Amino acid sequence: MKVMKFGGTSVGSATRMKGVVELVNDGETKIVVLSAMSGTTNALIEFTNYLRNGNAIGAVEHITNLQNKYRQTIKELYSDEKYSAMANEKVGEIFNHLRSLASQPLTSDNEKEIVAQGEMMSTNMVAIYMAEQGINSALLNSLDFMRLKANEEPDMEYLATNLNPLIESRTDGKIYIAQGFICMDSENRISNLQRGGSDYTATLIGAALQVEEIQIWTDIDGMHNNDPRIVEGTRPVRHLQFEESAELAYFGAKILHPTCILPAKLAGVPVRLLNTMDPKAEGTLIDNNLTEPGTIKAIAAKDNITAIKIKSGRMLLAYGFLRKVFEIFESYRTSIDMICTSEVGVSMSIDNANRLEEITNELQKYGTVTVDKDMCIICVVGNLTWENTGFESRAMEAMKDIPVRMVSYGGSNYNISFLIRMEDKEKALRALSKQIFN
C-alpha cells in the first residue's frame, strides 16, 4: 500500500481533480490524502476575520462568493447531472453549516472548525467524481482517526488503532480518500495539524500503517540542487537522506516542512516527491539509505535573517554566560538559526525579528550588542562528515570574493552554512553552483 498526498494546486480546478483521479486509478490499493482546493483555506480564514470584526453580513457575502466558485467547479467536473446534484448537495450542506457559524460568537474552537471545511469539500467532490467514473473508492473521515495528545503532538497509537479497522471494514474500494490537515485534539474538538498540514497527515498515516512509500505530489519537480530562479541549469536531486532533506527544507526548499517528514524517518518509510504536471518524472526519493560520503547534493538559501553579536569581557572563562543569553531568546519565543562563539563574544542569527528590540535591550545588560539586518543564510547540503577532506575548501573557495559574516560547520554532518548580506545572495549562489556542480 502507498499513501499519495495532493496539495491545493493539485486539486485546484476541475481539470486538476480529473488529473489526480487518473493518477491514482492504477488498480493498486492506496490512501489518497487531499488538501483543500487552492485559495479555499485563505478564503475561510478571511471569513473568520469578518466574524472577528463583528461583520456577520460581510462574512456571509464572502462565503456565498466562495460557494459560487465551487458551483462552477462542480459544473465543470461532472458530466452526469445525478453526480453533479450529489456534489452540490454535499458542498451546500458544508456552506450552510458555515453560515450557521456566522451567527455565533467566534471562538478558537469554531475558528478551527471553519478552516477544516475546505478539506471536507475537496474530498467529497473527488470521491463523488470517482463514483461517477465507476472507480471503487471509500471516503474516510480523518476526524475518526487523526488526534492530538495533550501536548499537541500527534497520537500515533490512536491513529494506528482507529485507522486499521476503518480500512478493513471498507471493502467497497481499493482507494481510500482522507482529508489532510484536520484532526481532533485531546478534548475531542476539531483542530488542525500545524507544521506542514496535509504533508504531515500523509507521513503520519504512512508511518502508522508502515506503507511501502509515501508520495507527496506537487506542481514542483522535486527538490532542486539550487534555486532555478537564480541559477541556470539546476536539476532535481534524485536521492536525499532524511537529514539532508530536513536541512534543505529548513534553509529554503519549501516543498516539505522539516518536521512533517519525521514520522516517516522514524518508521523507515521512504518519501517520494513527485510532480503532478510531469507524472512520469522520477522525482526525489527521501529515505534512510546512506549516500556516498563527501557528496554535495544541493544549495539552499534562507532570506530575511538578522545577525546579533554580543561582546563581553565577562564572558571570558565565565560559566553560565551562554545560558543567560539563550534564556533571553527563550523568554521571547525566538529560535536561533546559527551560532558562533569566541572567548569574549557570541554571534547568533534569527529569522524572526518581531521581538528584536526587547531581545537587544536584555542582551545589553551583559555586553555590547551589534545588530546586522537584511542578511541571508546560504546552506551547502550533503553527506559532509568531517573525516572527508576537500569539500569544505571547495565551498570556501567559491565564497572568496563575498563578505561572510558567519560560518557554521560541524553542528551536523549535513551542511555548511554561510551568513552573508542579502545583496550578495545571487552572486554567492552562482559562485557555489559553478564551483561545486560544474
Side-chain angles (χ1 to χ4, degrees), residues 347-361:
S347 289
M348 297 149 289
S349 71
I350 59 175
D351 64 359
N352 178 4
N354 291 337
R355 308 299 297 273
L356 178 61
E357 183 176 354
E358 296 98 319
I359 290 170
T360 302
N361 290 338

Side-chain angles (χ1 to χ4, degrees), residues 224-232 234 252 299-301 303 425 429:
H224 283 248
N225 61 3
N226 218 313
D227 190 332
R229 297 167 300 180
I230 297 175
V231 180
E232 294 182 358
T234 64
I299 303 166
D303 299 338
K425 171 185 170 180
L429 288 175

Side-chain angles (χ1 to χ4, degrees), residues 27-54:
E28 296 183 1
T29 301
K30 59 182 63 67
I31 297 177
V32 178
V33 177
L34 301 180
S35 298
M37 285 179 60
S38 55
T40 298
T41 300
N42 287 339
L44 293 173
I45 291 173
E46 190 172 348
F47 174 70
T48 65
N49 290 337
Y50 277 106
L51 298 181
R52 186 175 292 106
N53 292 320

